[in-house]
Amino acid sequence: MTYQISSLEDYKQTYQRSIDDPEGFWADQAETFTWRKKWDSVLEWDFREPNIKWFSGAKLNITENCLDRHIATRGDQVAILWEPNNPADEVQKFTYRELLAAVCKCANALKALGIEKGDRVVFYMPMVPELAIAVLACARIGAVHSVVFAGFSAQALADRVNDASAKMIICSDFNNRGSKHIPVKKVVDEAMAKGCPSIENILVHKNSNEDIEWSDKDVWWHDQVAGQSEECPAEIMDAEDLLFILYTSGSTGKPKGVVHTCGGYMVYTCFTFKNAFQYKDGDIYWCTADIGWITGHSYIVYGPLLAGATSVMFEGVPTYPDAGRFWEICEKHQVNQFYTAPTAIRALMARGDEWPNKYDLSPLKLLGSVGEPINEEAWNWYNKTIGKEKSPIIDTWWQTETGGIMITPLPGITDAKPTYASYPMPGVQPVLLDADGNLVEGNNVEGLLCIKFPWPAMLRTTYGDHERCRQTYFSVFKDMYFTGDGARRDEEGRIRVIGRVDDVMNVSGHRMGTAEVENAINEHENVIESAVVGYPHEIKGQGIYAYVITDGSKGGEDLINEIRAVVTREIGPIAKPDKIQVVSGLPKTRSGKIMRRILRKIAAKDTSNLGDVSTLLNPEIVEEIIKGSL
Ligand code: PRX
């Protein structure tokens, strides 16, 4: 059994051991899993390359650990409890035994379609059980899954398919989200029309009675999977073989494929799940994330299943059919641990207390938050109105690249202070640096958040571009993993993550590169140049503010709407700018670099202290932009 910390003293001792003897510590954790062959060495690492190997030489299959090893002890326990978009529709429950059978059938179907170990399979699916099943089916046969959030555009999907040279896309025909019925397969068809030469088949799960366009590469899930055997031997994987690629935004235009591998990711996600959520046998755990993001990978699918938990998966949205939906589900399934994003908390807080107050939330033992800083007001509401001041809140800080939770309070064990992610998980060694790379020591200080020692679930590379991985994360500061976040350490050593220090925005908990959005805006035929920044937004955390220079041939609402439509086409609706200001120029340094610092301040309506603008190439533009700001 994975070790579960039970007291503050235990945390302190466990943490100390994990720092004094990381290899011994993680080897002990790894011993609790099923390995086909044990490791030759626990850790080999060199951050300069970077070259990171955990459990080198070990052989395993993560699905044997998620599924097969639980059959003897909890075969009839519900593994995945699926709640449909429409509350009147039927809940689906998969016991561990049923889930294993479903995964094996799907795995056999994939094999029959020629998918082999190492092949990349891209997903573009709503939150239906088949998404989790097919992700695990890939892992079963050693195929590398890459789930693309089903809100991205056809262009974004095609870019990811091509970057991964994927052999197959798995999608649904339609996506039911709230009152919307979104034609998912149509987006896949559009992506294919843009050119995805590596795709051999599209496996389509039926989620609607409507007809869809069909091509000779398309295969129905129900035709392909139904007749397959419920047994499928697990492919034996090396600990460092690829498990998945997940694309995420960086400060340059192109999303990068963050690569996670089998062994270390398994050990770390299970350990962090058991400890951060203090999951106990019989608990019902619900993470509201989408499997299109890392939170869904690590804490809907892998972490909970590795730990033998019952994990709720929800197809819908928090406000459909009404703003009580989350709380209704909590009551209906007697949810004990609830994990969501600050943006959802703020949106529901704005709807008033009458919604949560309609439901019995007494089974809740823990509330979690992830994805962005949680402001004090939202934290307090979550604590009082949802947790009734008896459910500890864990504000979990981590990233797509870290694979699992890095800094978090442990519920009932370490105290929680609003807006603080608090203390590191065992094995995690965070440090703060100044801009020159010097350690910022002591408490009550701020700095750039780095991690100075490897942990098992860290990214290994960015797919197809190892140099980009090196440059982005490992070369900014010597011998450090650089997170891209700024943080503060309080008088008692707790860490509060303030936000990104690079050109990455966090919109409703979704990571978005400013360059990515600018590239999309610049596709509009009348746009000459643009600059995008994030600004404080009451519900979304950050909103997107775009400054655009046009050729002057078009203006007004039409132009604004067209620009928004172009961004939706290029990336997806999540990247649509909230505010678009047409400007005649952008503040630039003499070397031609846009001074985003100034634009950020203007967008935040904080123009009292813009600093010295006289060194700009065009200082007069600043006043003009302030006058026209939205
Ligand atoms: O800026 C931090 C913010 O989200 C970024 C990571 O985004 P992503 O890779 O999409 O993963 C989100 C889910 C793990 C971080 O660099 N972030 C995440 N959690 C927190 C946070 N900021 C403050 N507090 C958090 N708890």
Side-chain angles (χ1 to χ4, degrees), residues 422-435:
S422 293
Y423 300 110
M425 271 286 169
V428 174
Q429 301 191 37
V431 290
L432 300 182
L433 300 186
D434 67 18

Side-chain angles (χ1 to χ4, degrees), residues 34-38 58-61 64 233-237:
T34 300
W35 300 88
R36 291 298 187 102
K37 175 183 172 287
K38 290 276 172 69
K59 304 278 181 202
L60 77 154
N61 186 290
E64 287 194 327
E235 186 74 33
I236 308 304
M237 307 294 283

Side-chain angles (χ1 to χ4, degrees), residues 248 293-295 339 369-374 395-402 407 419 421 483-485 497-500 506 509-511:
T248 191
W293 312 111
I294 190 70
T295 308
Y339 192 31
S369 169
V370 59
E372 48 173 320
I374 176 165
D395 174 0
T396 62
W397 174 84
W398 58 295
Q399 309 178 298
T400 305
E401 294 85 346
T402 70
I407 305 181
T419 75
T483 65
D485 280 325
V497 176
I498 301 164
R500 304 288 307 192
N506 194 327
H510 300 150
R511 228 163 112 170

Side-chain angles (χ1 to χ4, degrees), residues 62-73:
I62 196 168
T63 68
E64 287 194 327
N65 286 278
C66 287
L67 303 170
D68 307 60
R69 74 170 168 147
H70 296 315
I71 298 303
T73 51

Side-chain angles (χ1 to χ4, degrees), residues 71-329:
I71 298 303
T73 51
R74 55 180 90 243
D76 297 323
Q77 179 197 315
V78 175
I80 290 183
L81 191 166
W82 180 77
E83 172 68 32
N85 177 59
N86 184 345
D89 289 345
E90 206 179 324
V91 168
Q92 286 186 42
K93 293 181 181 177
F94 293 80
T95 64
Y96 274 92
R97 198 183 314 283
E98 288 163 346
L99 187 59
L100 173 60
V103 167
C104 286
K105 283 175 82 165
C106 179
N108 286 324
L110 296 180
K111 277 202 216 168
L113 289 169
I115 300 297
E116 295 174 357
K117 177 177 176 179
D119 287 343
R120 274 81 55 211
V121 175
V122 164
F123 287 71
Y124 191 75
M125 273 179 107
M127 284 285 286
V128 288
E130 287 75 9
L131 168 55
I133 289 166
V135 157
L136 291 163
C138 284
R140 186 81 177 172
I141 61 172
V144 177
H145 55 80
S146 184
V147 184
V148 176
F149 174 63
F152 278 114
S153 68
Q155 185 62 55
L157 174 62
D159 291 345
R160 286 156 177 75
V161 165
N162 290 327
D163 191 79
S165 302
K167 209 163 163 183
M168 177 186 277
I169 299 174
I170 306 184
C171 67
S172 292
D173 51 357
F174 283 84
N175 180 354
N176 302 310
R177 259 177 87 74
S179 55
K180 294 192 193 133
H181 189 57
I182 306 156
V184 177
K185 169 65 164 48
K186 192 159 161 262
V187 180
V188 174
D189 291 345
E190 283 165 25
M192 290 295 289
K194 290 178 188 295
C196 295
S198 57
I199 295 295
E200 292 176 5
N201 285 114
I202 299 163
L203 185 61
V204 189
H205 160 252
K206 195 164 175 53
N207 202 25
S208 150
N209 291 322
E210 273 180 67
D211 289 338
I212 55 169
E213 298 273 326
W214 205 247
S215 87
D216 54 5
K217 290 190 173 181
D218 300 344
V219 182
W220 279 116
W221 172 291
H222 52 263
D223 289 340
Q224 187 64 24
V225 175
Q228 299 292 343
S229 159
E230 292 186 353
E231 278 171 35
C232 175
E235 186 74 33
I236 308 304
M237 307 294 283
D238 192 276
E240 283 298 335
D241 278 340
L242 268 64
L243 176 62
F244 66 87
I245 305 169
L246 188 56
Y247 285 87
T248 191
S249 296
S251 43
T252 56
K254 200 170 153 259
K256 49 191 177 232
V258 168
V259 168
H260 285 289
T261 56
C262 298
Y265 179 81
M266 171 177 81
V267 173
Y268 194 78
T269 52
C270 185
F271 179 82
T272 51
F273 174 77
K274 283 280 279 197
N275 282 285
F277 297 99
Q278 286 290 308
Y279 185 88
K280 303 279 188 284
D281 266 353
D283 284 348
I284 308 289
Y285 159 88
W286 179 22
C287 166
T288 70
D290 191 291
I291 295 177
W293 312 111
I294 190 70
T295 308
H297 283 63
S298 300
Y299 299 111
I300 296 178
V301 182
Y302 288 111
L305 296 179
L306 286 163
T310 297
S311 178
V312 176
M313 178 174 174
F314 176 42
E315 184 184 29
V317 297
T319 48
Y320 178 82
D322 59 45
R325 184 71 162 123
F326 270 5
W327 321 123
E328 185 240 334
I329 296 173

